[in-house]
Amino acid sequence: MEICSKITGLEKLSGSFLFHTDNADIKIYFLTDQVIRVRTSFDKEFAEESYVLSATAWEDRLDGLFKEERTRLNPVAPSCEDNGKTFIFKTESLRLEFDKDPLCIRLYDNEGTELYSSLAGSPFILDSNKRVNHYSRMNEDDCFYGFGEKAGLLNKNKTFLRQRATDAMGYDPIKTDTLYKHIPFYIRLDRKTQKALGIFYHNFYESVFNMGCEKSNYWPRYTYWQADGGDIDLFFIGGNCIKKIVDNYTMLTGRPALLPKRALGYQGSSMYYPELEKDSDDAVLNFIDTIKEEGFPIDGFHLSSGYTSQNGKRCVFTWNTTRFKNPREYFAAMNKKGAQNVPNVKPGILLAHPLFEEFNSRDVFVKDSKDPSKFAAGCWWGGTGAFWDFTKPEARRAWKDYLIENVIDVGTDSIWDDNCEYDSILDKDSKVDFDGKGGTIGQLKPLMSTIMCKIGGDAVKEHNENARPYIVCRSGSTGIQKYAQTWCGDNYTSWDTLKYNIPIITGMGLSGQPNEGADIGGFAGPAPDEELFVRWVQNGIFQARFSIHSASNDNTVTEPWMFRNSADIIRNAVLLRYRMTPYLYSAEYHASLTGAPVMRALVYEFQKDPKVYDESFEFMFGRDILVANVIEQGAKSKCVYLPSGCKWYDWNDNFKCYEGGQKIEVPVDITSIPMFIREGAIIPFADNQLMSMERDHTTALHITTAPTLNGEESLYTLYDDDGVSNDFQKGIFRKTEIRMSGQSVVKVEFSSQGDYQDFVENVTVEMIRKDRSPFWVALGDTKLEHFLNRKKFEAASCGWYYSQTKKAVLVKYPNPKKNITLTVSFEDFDLIGM
């Protein structure tokens, strides 16, 4: 057992500092003034070979693989002071201290607030089982968020969590651990200081987090992280604000992909259709026709692996031509209907696979630990299988070739990477290539799915350089957000799952993945009952991935029209999602810049309100809409907490105004989707009904605004592009900055850039103002006509009307196609001349 208890020396290197301790070396890099790497190595090798980092300040052996994704930063040069007892490093934002003996690490912000402290005398340990351990101080009531995809409540204080991605079909959404992702990152929020810090472990051995459920009277309260091997490669991610920490974390590990618009639309799916004995193609095409006949929009179809069935076994890169008679014609027909297939591919290869010997001859598999000339065998769907080694360049090339030839070229730019947890390889010493160096599956297992997603996206672009890939994946490591949309696996049909999938999704959002969703209606177990299904769809319309997908055990198929008495309610909810397209796609754009989640935990937006720290089930949809879905069976009312610091307006009750910082109770029925608009909001929707996010366009833009009563400025960026190609990377987009300010005179300034020409013909601005009607309204230099009659206003192409019912002004005008300012005057009007 080796314990780092004291510092024995310090060297200043080029771009870093190297501490020597009594048992390990510690290398310090100041990547930015808010991101500090503290890497403790007991073998003292410090090899740089990362599959996940997108920003570095050092040379990495794998730079060539990520040359288009990785940015080399110039490290910050901190000041360094030695006062005899402590080494003190300072950047503009942070102060890092190392006490020499006993060794203790502390981190402060530039106001002197302590953000972090290790345990003194034993922060880093290599135990007798050769596991690495890192011990940190905690307060009893600290909040801990993130950890990737985790069941239970959002705040993980007093929990014990494993990082080991597994195929957890039918999991308990409250208690099961682990699920499908491996993301060793969390955010600590101190209730007293209301400041936060991100902590990321750049290590992908299986590991555990003990977040205060262990206690010893010999030490102050502590947490620990423990991994089966590797370095304690720790990144402190500062910023104090959770928003900034997520921003810094995704700067480090990769900005989320800007997905094509179809990825945000309704993705139909069921394991039922591809498992039919024959003519599955006709059944899926009929499903798409039925969707449209029933008045539902759709943008794609997740094609389950039954299309690869050979003699009852799933065999990737093959086609069952009894079920899919002519795959190319089927794909073309689906594309014509605006529902591109997202074909399921799996990295496990059965020994019975008709191409197994061909694959094996190309040497693409993970190897046996004792005899590397043989593949490592493990359980797979239908028997024993071998597993693709995505850390091997030749295997990546082979996978890409097979994927292009047998899937992409058939007619799709979308790939569904599934069953890629690799957890059926029991021997953790099984050998992988590790890009020529050699490694073990225990060292690199969770990275396989992330690299698999990268290769899928690269294959799409190699086939068609201007196609924007849509990759969806069940598993993933840190960095998965760069390549794929994800979902929280094969959930079980229950009210608990509906409820607890919310903090699973928002927890992933706090872990750098904004593009997460759930199988709506439940995947495993029986079909949902009518009320549960309605509530699940009403919740699902706010998720980044919206797919009704099932493999029910009662011979049923979960489809949106399955309950005739509720079909209209479900349809209206899905149609609402499609009208939200301008807001949703803009949220997707914002996510690609900063990692900002689409579904946001309240603490992400309201860190100064301690009452939201333990809120798991309400969330923000984008920046400006609070959603408090009905997730209790038989509910007649809904208790909602409205965060402090602003006013709130009830979307469903004529913008009824509430002060923040209070709980309210609102009546609900089966149609209710409780939504509240934040003061200062700017919310763009479509007034025309879109039925396809990819093919239809917003022609009538409706912008709901809620100016602050003190005149504080609000800024919002409305984003659009073609949603299909990579032309946005060439400047072909439309980015409209909407700036709202003023009190008695409210100005809404529209300023656009980019070469993309949108399809907006008419604009309506709905401005909430409860205390009075406008005096006048002007667009640019032109005052608009005031209508006192609603019918005449609706018949006109331009003008304004004040709704006494909503206490909001409606302004409409043809799209001027130029930068312009809308001015709404709420000044006093001296009607009688006194």
Side-chain angles (χ1 to χ4, degrees), residues 111-252:
E111 296 177 344
T113 305
E114 185 178 283
L115 304 174
Y116 171 84
S117 176
S118 70
L119 277 189
S122 57
F124 307 119
I125 296 174
L126 179 67
D127 69 21
S128 54
N129 292 314
K130 302 304 178 183
R131 298 173 301 192
V132 290
N133 300 262
H134 174 220
Y135 286 84
S136 304
R137 292 279 302 272
M138 67 170 284
N139 298 316
E140 194 69 35
D141 60 354
D142 278 344
C143 301
F144 301 109
Y145 307 113
F147 305 95
E149 190 176 79
K150 290 297 174 184
L153 298 171
L154 184 70
N155 180 4
K156 303 304 185 187
N157 184 289
K158 309 293 192 306
T159 61
F160 185 88
L161 306 165
R162 295 184 71 192
Q163 291 288 337
R164 178 183 180 268
T166 57
D167 184 342
M169 180 174 173
Y171 58 88
D172 182 326
I174 303 173
K175 296 181 178 180
T176 298
D177 188 56
T178 63
L179 298 182
Y180 299 85
K181 314 297 190 297
H182 183 128
I183 301 176
F185 166 76
Y186 71 90
I187 298 170
R188 172 187 179 248
L189 175 62
D190 186 316
R191 289 182 190 266
K192 298 177 183 64
T193 66
Q194 298 186 340
K195 294 180 178 181
L197 178 73
I199 296 179
F200 166 52
Y201 293 92
H202 182 228
N203 177 314
F204 294 97
Y205 282 90
E206 290 185 12
S207 59
V208 299
F209 286 94
N210 188 321
M211 306 313 294
C213 58
E214 177 177 298
K215 191 172 185 179
S216 173
N217 194 45
Y218 295 98
W219 286 273
R221 296 292 283 123
Y222 60 85
T223 68
Y224 69 77
W225 169 84
Q226 179 187 83
D228 286 351
D231 286 352
I232 304 172
D233 194 359
L234 166 68
F235 285 80
F236 290 124
I237 301 178
N240 287 353
C241 171
I242 291 175
K243 285 185 181 181
K244 186 59 183 174
I245 290 167
V246 172
D247 184 3
N248 281 332
Y249 173 70
T250 55
M251 176 278 297
L252 177 67

Side-chain angles (χ1 to χ4, degrees), residues 699 701 703 734 736 748-752 757-765 778-782 784 797-798 811-822:
T699 57
L701 182 65
I703 305 173
R734 174 65 53 181
T736 302
V748 184
E749 302 171 61
F750 296 85
S751 177
S752 296
Q757 297 300 313
D758 63 35
F759 292 79
V760 175
E761 299 170 1
N762 300 293
V763 178
T764 298
V765 175
L779 184 66
D781 297 328
T782 304
L784 302 184
S797 62
C798 188
V811 184
K812 68 176 182 178
Y813 50 89
N815 185 2
K817 303 284 186 179
K818 64 180 181 180
N819 297 342
I820 202 160
T821 298
L822 175 69

Side-chain angles (χ1 to χ4, degrees), residues 482-496:
K482 290 180 282 193
Y483 310 119
Q485 181 188 78
T486 56
W487 85 104
C488 49
D490 297 341
N491 55 0
Y492 188 81
T493 302
S494 72
W495 283 90
D496 278 346

Side-chain angles (χ1 to χ4, degrees), residues 31-32 34-35 54-55 73 185 187 198 237-256 481 509-514 590-597 604:
L31 193 62
T32 73
Q34 294 184 337
V35 179
S54 287
L73 303 176
F185 166 76
I187 298 170
I237 301 178
N240 287 353
C241 171
I242 291 175
K243 285 185 181 181
K244 186 59 183 174
I245 290 167
V246 172
D247 184 3
N248 281 332
Y249 173 70
T250 55
M251 176 278 297
L252 177 67
T253 63
R255 297 301 189 189
Q481 72 273 2
L510 294 175
S511 305
Q513 171 55 307
H590 298 150
S592 74
L593 298 181
T594 67
Y604 178 90

Side-chain angles (χ1 to χ4, degrees), residues 613-667:
Y613 290 0
D614 296 299
E615 176 55 57
S616 294
F617 307 113
E618 293 180 23
F619 58 89
M620 298 299 293
F621 176 54
R623 188 190 69 184
D624 289 335
I625 301 174
L626 185 149
V627 181
N629 282 115
V630 181
I631 49 179
E632 296 82 20
Q633 187 172 14
K636 301 299 182 185
S637 65
K638 177 70 178 179
C639 184
V640 182
Y641 177 72
L642 300 173
S644 63
C646 63
K647 297 181 185 296
W648 295 90
Y649 301 94
D650 189 335
W651 187 284
N652 300 305
D653 191 12
N654 295 315
F655 300 144
K656 183 177 179 179
C657 182
Y658 295 95
E659 292 291 335
Q662 65 168 322
K663 284 186 177 181
I664 63 170
E665 191 164 348
V666 295

Side-chain angles (χ1 to χ4, degrees), residues 495 498 529-539 563 565-573 629-637 667-674:
W495 283 90
L498 163 62
D529 65 39
E530 187 166 4
E531 182 187 6
L532 175 56
F533 188 50
V534 170
R535 295 307 190 195
W536 218 321
V537 172
Q538 290 170 339
N539 176 256
F563 296 107
N565 291 336
S566 299
D568 289 345
I569 299 170
I570 291 169
R571 183 185 305 105
N572 289 339
N629 282 115
V630 181
I631 49 179
E632 296 82 20
Q633 187 172 14
K636 301 299 182 185
S637 65
V668 297
D669 60 28
I670 193 63
T671 67
S672 299
I673 307 176

